[in-house]
Amino acid sequence: SYHEFEIELLIYRTHLLSLYVNIHMIKLYTAAKLRAAAGASCFIRRNRRRETSPASASIVFFSTQQCRNETSSSSDFHPVTRFSEEERLVQESASSFAKNELKPLVRQMDEQQQIDSRVISRLFSNGFMALEIPEEHDGASLSFTSACLTIEELSRVDPSVAVMVDVHNTLVVNAIRFWGSKMLQKKYLPKLSSGCIGAFCLSEAQSGSDAFALRTSAQVSEDGSYYTINGTKLWITSAREAGAFVVFATVNPSLSYKGITAFVIDADTPGIIVGNPESKLGLRASSTCPVTFDNVKVDADNILGKVGEGYKYCIEILNEGRIGIAAQQVGIAKGCMDIVLPYLHEREQFGQKLVNMPMMQSQYAQAATEIHAAEVMLYNACRLKESGLPFVKEASICKLYSSQVAERTASKSIEWLGGIGFTTDLLAEKFYRDCKVGSIYEGTSNIQLQTIAKIVSDEYA
């Protein structure tokens, strides 16, 4: 009967489920035995090395790390916020510098609207301006994640200094690393690692989000040996301090974006005029200036990559740059928490510390949750980029979300601090001013949403 058939089918499914469970348990048991064997093997090799090597302490350290690697070989999974020893050292170094050397000068630099020359000198001497530059060009040969960790830690104290480090490393240095000729790399990378600040010249009066509407021209000479550049760039970060510019100009306006070409130009080249810094809401210590090119002669050898492919380089490098801005925004949000949480532990009202009030707890817990989510997005994008995997969507997502989180956290921090948060006694109000540009530069939030929507739509097409 049909009823008997259903019973037989149920029994059959039960047997299949039991078989599946048994197979899964065998897999788990086998994996456990393999991990145990790998651990024992590491232990044996470690003890043998102790017996034979006088430098046992260092050998034990590296063999222990090797053991960790081998015992985790059954899975390629690693938390995106698990950093290498090298990356942790960079993070600690940046944090120490920010707290001990940068913090005492933050308010003064903000008021004077200029980064102290001593800070710039120490950024170079600490290696923060040469993070991804190869050792052969006097750099540190570190990871992209190391650069973002540095930007984040500096942003927890002063985002104005962090944006100088960010643009220099993620845009200028990396553009020359990726597409510069051997000659350009040999000429500029050692300079950029030892004292020359780089600036990225893209935006113009009529080309903001529509970056490829730029009008700065590059007219080739009759013999093709040099180009003459004319035009004005706006909103150029670190323009006042820069020693080298990466400049985007069109060699033929009729070709539209396919005429855009990138050049590397020394800041002291005749015809370059750096205008007065803008008076800004936030990031006031960071110079943001117009840069005019008046019949600037540039050797053809200074072309970055190929003629007419500047638009490709611009798109690719800004995708990386957005991750750097996300690091800045995560740092700002954490910097707000660094200020407000100690205050909540000290401040009492109605016979109770603010940190223990349920209404306050729910608010800073929400902020901490959002910061953690932004951090995971940030370093997931870093790891995707380092692995050579697609990361455009993730870069836009982390840039968009981190700017929103930074703005919410900065605003709430002022509320949690009460009256003192509205004064300049603490740096909370500065973070509130500094974070706003996160939704504007290196691609507005609307542009990020447009990018995300296009990729998501294509995934379902």
Side-chain angles (χ1 to χ4, degrees), residues 132-145:
E132 293 186 84
I133 294 177
E135 290 182 14
E136 63 186 283
H137 296 304
D138 303 329
S141 291
L142 295 174
S143 65
F144 182 71
T145 296

Side-chain angles (χ1 to χ4, degrees), residues 268-296:
D268 59 1
T269 302
I272 294 180
I273 304 166
V274 178
N276 293 326
E278 303 288 347
S279 181
K280 308 188 299 293
L281 170 70
L283 302 183
R284 293 172 66 82
S286 169
S287 68
T288 305
C289 312
V291 181
T292 298
F293 299 86
D294 184 11
N295 289 320
V296 175

Side-chain angles (χ1 to χ4, degrees), residues 47-60:
N47 281 318
R48 285 176 180 170
R49 289 167 183 164
R50 277 180 178 160
E51 294 171 3
T52 59
S53 173
S56 59
S58 60
I59 293 295
V60 169

Side-chain angles (χ1 to χ4, degrees), residues 301-371:
D301 290 340
N302 279 47
I303 291 175
L304 191 65
K306 297 180 180 179
V307 173
E309 295 196 359
Y311 73 97
K312 295 181 182 179
Y313 311 147
C314 179
I315 291 171
E316 291 187 35
I317 207 67
L318 284 177
N319 286 330
E320 293 192 16
R322 287 165 182 167
I323 302 175
I325 296 302
Q328 181 200 47
Q329 297 299 300
V330 169
I332 289 174
K334 289 185 178 182
C336 291
M337 299 291 272
D338 292 340
I339 293 171
V340 76
L341 263 298
Y343 176 84
L344 297 182
H345 275 279
E346 294 178 2
R347 178 72 168 167
E348 288 189 14
Q349 290 287 278
F350 307 105
Q352 186 179 14
K353 291 186 181 297
L354 296 185
V355 76
N356 295 324
M357 292 183 174
M359 183 62 73
M360 191 64 73
Q361 288 178 325
S362 65
Q363 293 183 58
Y364 66 73
Q366 179 66 37
T369 300
E370 293 181 356
I371 292 169

Side-chain angles (χ1 to χ4, degrees), residues 84-207:
S84 68
E85 183 68 19
E86 200 170 50
E87 289 165 346
R88 286 195 299 270
L89 288 173
V90 172
Q91 183 182 35
E92 291 167 5
S93 176
S95 176
S96 176
F97 168 77
K99 292 174 182 176
N100 299 321
E101 300 186 49
L102 184 54
K103 190 173 182 178
L105 298 171
V106 171
R107 182 63 70 184
Q108 172 189 320
M109 293 191 299
D110 185 65
E111 292 174 351
Q112 295 179 354
Q113 299 187 44
Q114 186 168 1
I115 296 176
D116 193 296
S117 60
R118 293 170 294 177
V119 170
I120 296 175
S121 177
R122 290 291 289 148
L123 289 174
F124 280 101
S125 63
N126 276 305
F128 300 143
M129 306 298 269
L131 294 165
E132 293 186 84
I133 294 177
E135 290 182 14
E136 63 186 283
H137 296 304
D138 303 329
S141 291
L142 295 174
S143 65
F144 182 71
T145 296
S146 295
C148 287
L149 285 168
T150 300
I151 294 163
E152 179 190 325
E153 291 302 323
L154 295 177
S155 298
R156 292 177 78 154
V157 175
D158 193 351
S160 292
V161 173
V163 75
M164 171 184 280
V165 175
D166 177 24
V167 170
H168 177 91
N169 281 286
T170 67
L171 298 185
V172 177
V173 165
N174 279 353
I176 295 172
R177 284 179 55 227
F178 297 158
W179 302 294
S181 64
K182 293 295 184 182
M183 183 277 289
L184 285 180
Q185 291 181 11
K186 185 176 180 180
K187 178 180 178 180
Y188 284 101
L189 292 181
K191 291 167 60 175
L192 291 167
S193 70
S194 60
C196 174
I197 294 171
F200 193 79
C201 299
L202 175 63
S203 296
E204 298 179 9
Q206 69 287 335
S207 61

Side-chain angles (χ1 to χ4, degrees), residues 367-378:
T369 300
E370 293 181 356
I371 292 169
H372 178 66
E375 182 180 26
V376 171
M377 292 178 188
L378 162 63

